[in-house]
Amino acid sequence: MDGLAQFGLALGLTVLEVVLAAVALLLWFGASLHLDTGTPAPEVSPAPYLLAVVAIGVGAGAAAVTWGGRRAWGVAVTQGLMAVLLTGAAHTTLALATHDSARTESPAGSPTGPEASEPPAMVGCRSGDHSQECAHLGG
């Protein structure tokens, strides 16, 4: 395969993979879009959408191996890079999503009833520096 044909094939496959990944991410955005402010937003897991992006990356890796066996190194290298980028981005996004969801859950031992939704009590002087309650702070 000559250089121009390899360039065209590599470019076409890269555009196809980017479009497929964009469609998967737009479907995730559409599923999590919630315009009604009166009701709570449903929890949408990013896992199936990111799994689709990983599948596209695995397909790019398979294309890299296939074209590498045919000695079309330009296609093999670009498909290998796309495989690494797509799977790495999907794994990183999933790790960040699970990390953020773990931060919003209440830790062990914290209140879980109605008192969990109350704001924390105020700390410090409520009435300014001239109050007796601030005497221990030097005010």
Side-chain angles (χ1 to χ4, degrees), residues 14 17-18 21 25 50 52-61 64 76-94:
T14 301
E17 291 154 358
V18 168
L25 296 177
L50 295 176
V53 174
V54 168
I56 296 166
V58 168
V77 168
T78 53
Q79 289 305 294
L81 287 173
M82 284 301 294
V84 169
L85 288 173
L86 288 171
T87 56
H91 284 151
T92 303
T93 305
L94 187 60

Side-chain angles (χ1 to χ4, degrees), residues 54-120:
V54 168
I56 296 166
V58 168
V65 170
T66 301
W67 288 103
R70 295 181 183 175
R71 306 264 189 242
W73 299 116
V75 179
V77 168
T78 53
Q79 289 305 294
L81 287 173
M82 284 301 294
V84 169
L85 288 173
L86 288 171
T87 56
H91 284 151
T92 303
T93 305
L94 187 60
L96 288 173
T98 55
H99 177 71
D100 286 345
S101 67
R103 289 178 64 188
T104 59
E105 294 175 3
S106 61
S110 67
T112 57
E115 63 275 0
S117 62
E118 294 177 6

